[in-house]
Amino acid sequence: MALQLLSWNCNGLNSPQKRKSVFHLLKKEQLDLICLQETHITRLHRKLLINKRLGQEFISLDKVKKRGVVIYAKDRLSPKLIFKDDQGRFVAIEIQTQGEKILIVGIYAPNEGKSDFFKKLHETLMDYLDYNMILMGDMNGVVSTHMGKAQRQVVTKDGRLPKTFFEMTDNLDLVDIWRTRNPMAKEGTFFSEAKMTWTRIDQIWVTRGMAPKTRKAEICPKTCSDHNAVKMEMKLTPTGSFRWRMNDTLFRDEEVLKKAPKTLRDYFEINMNTNVEKRVIWDASKAVMRGFLIQQNAVKKRIQNEKKDKILEKIKESEKD
């Protein structure tokens, strides 16, 4: 089974004719997930973005005709909203398919203040480390001025994504899937006539472990927007073959590093002097360690949530004062 995704800066959907053209093109693609940026639709007119043929809509809009991000997801993916901002910059949903839980984040990054924007997004996403992730949208910057930018003048560092963006992708273990699939290609998604420059500012980033499942990642031909869409197709894990994924960040915790060997020692001391086959004892030890790590992960998450709740309570008390 395949999952097909598309990310596209549509450069405004207020015009009925433009909206009709965009929705018609998307419907023909028969996509599972669609992320549109720069819709320019206000919160007051959010109903203009509802299109059940494309899927269930998840929307982040501003009060004015600026920005705007919407994700459409098919009902069979059991989509649900996880978080969004109120300025039309990002929206995140969870989908579940073939035993996998994936966090989808639609992004429309600002031209100014990108460093702070990606820093705050990074902090938000750190609460969802147990998810596989797909980040897609208009990042308003290139990964490399050499490979992601083509122009008639001398190539400069102008337009490169900030350090905070790469800190985010490193910590979340994300890869630029188009570049991964097209290591030597030079293609752009936006052409600036003023600077005579092609830039690949529209991107899709995925958790590294998902990259081998990607069948293709391509930049689509330009149609009714000044940006090219980016499309990706992923092969999903067959039903019944889903495997538990270890949270290896647990081993940065000194307490876990002390408890893990003790848990195994205690298990082997109890079971090695029985009549059970050594092979069975060894196989069962893996299940014991997996159970231990699942338990520690739950404890760590509970403690984090308790700390967060206390901070939020203090903020509420301060606001009341």
Side-chain angles (χ1 to χ4, degrees):
M1 182 181 176
L3 184 69
Q4 296 195 73
L5 308 90
L6 181 136
S7 175
W8 190 15
N9 180 323
C10 53
N11 191 28
L13 290 175
N14 277 295
S15 162
Q17 188 58 44
K18 170 80 173 287
R19 205 161 52 245
K20 183 179 178 181
S21 298
V22 169
F23 288 165
H24 177 69
L25 286 168
L26 294 173
K27 181 66 178 71
K28 285 173 64 179
E29 291 286 334
Q30 295 185 332
L31 300 156
D32 301 297
L33 277 160
I34 300 164
C35 178
L36 301 181
Q37 309 93 45
E38 205 173 357
T39 62
H40 290 176
I41 302 289
T42 65
R43 292 178 203 159
L44 188 64
H45 300 111
R46 74 184 302 280
K47 65 179 181 181
L48 295 176
L49 292 173
I50 297 173
N51 189 314
K52 296 305 178 185
R53 291 185 176 183
L54 300 181
Q56 188 175 338
E57 73 286 343
F58 300 87
I59 305 170
S60 170
L61 301 173
D62 201 347
K63 293 184 291 186
V64 294
K65 290 183 180 180
K66 290 183 179 180
R67 299 178 282 274
V69 180
V70 56
I71 294 177
Y72 297 99
K74 295 297 186 184
D75 289 335
R76 64 177 179 79
L77 300 175
S78 303
K80 67 177 182 180
L81 179 68
I82 300 298
F83 63 82
K84 66 174 183 175
D85 74 334
D86 57 0
Q87 296 180 325
R89 288 294 183 194
F90 58 80
V91 59
I93 68 169
E94 174 196 298
I95 64 167
Q96 295 191 36
T97 178
Q98 300 291 335
E100 292 193 60
K101 186 170 68 171
I102 305 173
L103 187 72
I104 309 292
V105 187
I107 299 169
Y108 178 47
N111 280 309
E112 302 294 332
K114 281 195 286 285
S115 184
D116 286 341
F117 172 80
F118 285 117
K119 182 181 178 181
K120 290 175 182 176
L121 182 61
H122 181 190
E123 290 170 355
T124 301
L125 291 173
M126 287 301 287
D127 288 336
Y128 302 94
L129 290 174
D130 54 336
Y131 283 83
N132 280 317
M133 296 186 190
I134 300 176
L135 276 60
M136 54 182 172
D138 182 348
M139 307 301 173
N140 257 317
V142 296
V143 177
S144 163
T145 52
H146 174 64
M147 294 298 289
K149 192 172 184 179
Q151 60 187 37
R152 295 184 182 181
Q153 297 93 9
V154 176
V155 174
T156 67
K157 291 186 179 180
D158 293 341
R160 192 169 188 265
L161 285 161
K163 182 181 178 181
T164 54
F165 176 86
F166 297 106
E167 288 174 351
M168 177 181 73
T169 55
D170 286 346
N171 286 339
L172 298 175
D173 200 23
L174 302 172
V175 295
D176 177 358
I177 196 61
W178 185 86
R179 175 56 66 205
T180 301
R181 297 289 298 180
N182 305 274
M184 300 306 294
K186 281 193 176 184
E187 286 187 57
T189 61
F190 175 71
F191 181 73
S192 169
E193 293 187 7
K195 297 181 179 179
M196 299 299 289
T197 307
W198 272 105
T199 49
R200 190 173 63 85
I201 60 178
D202 303 273
Q203 301 155 21
I204 300 177
W205 291 73
V206 307
T207 301
R208 189 180 302 276
M210 299 175 73
K213 301 176 185 178
T214 305
R215 288 177 174 173
K216 63 180 179 181
E218 59 183 349
I219 295 173
C220 304
K222 188 177 291 185
T223 52
C224 49
S225 172
D226 59 349
H227 287 247
N228 299 65
V230 184
K231 188 178 177 183
M232 181 181 89
E233 183 178 318
M234 182 177 293
K235 184 180 180 181
L236 297 174
T237 306
T239 303
S241 62
F242 175 71
R243 301 181 70 181
W244 168 72
R245 187 165 170 260
M246 184 178 71
N247 178 9
D248 52 14
T249 61
L250 286 171
F251 292 103
R252 298 174 192 168
D253 189 328
E254 290 293 329
E255 194 66 26
V256 174
L257 286 176
K258 290 177 182 177
K259 288 181 178 179
K262 185 179 184 305
T263 300
L264 276 181
R265 276 198 304 270
D266 291 346
Y267 166 78
F268 283 122
E269 283 175 5
I270 293 169
N271 291 280
M272 287 302 287
N273 295 323
T274 63
N275 295 325
V276 181
E277 288 183 32
K278 300 294 186 293
R279 177 179 55 81
V280 175
I281 294 173
W282 172 249
D283 288 340
S285 71
K286 299 172 189 176
V288 169
M289 183 51 60
R290 182 172 60 198
F292 167 78
L293 292 174
I294 290 171
Q295 179 197 48
Q296 293 301 310
N297 195 49
V299 169
K300 193 172 183 180
K301 187 173 285 188
R302 190 186 71 245
I303 292 170
Q304 286 176 341
N305 288 335
E306 286 173 355
K307 287 180 180 178
K308 187 164 66 175
D309 289 341
K310 287 179 182 178
I311 292 169
L312 288 172
E313 192 59 37
K314 287 181 181 178
I315 291 171
K316 288 178 183 177
E317 288 174 5
S318 298
E319 285 176 340
K320 286 177 184 178
D321 292 339

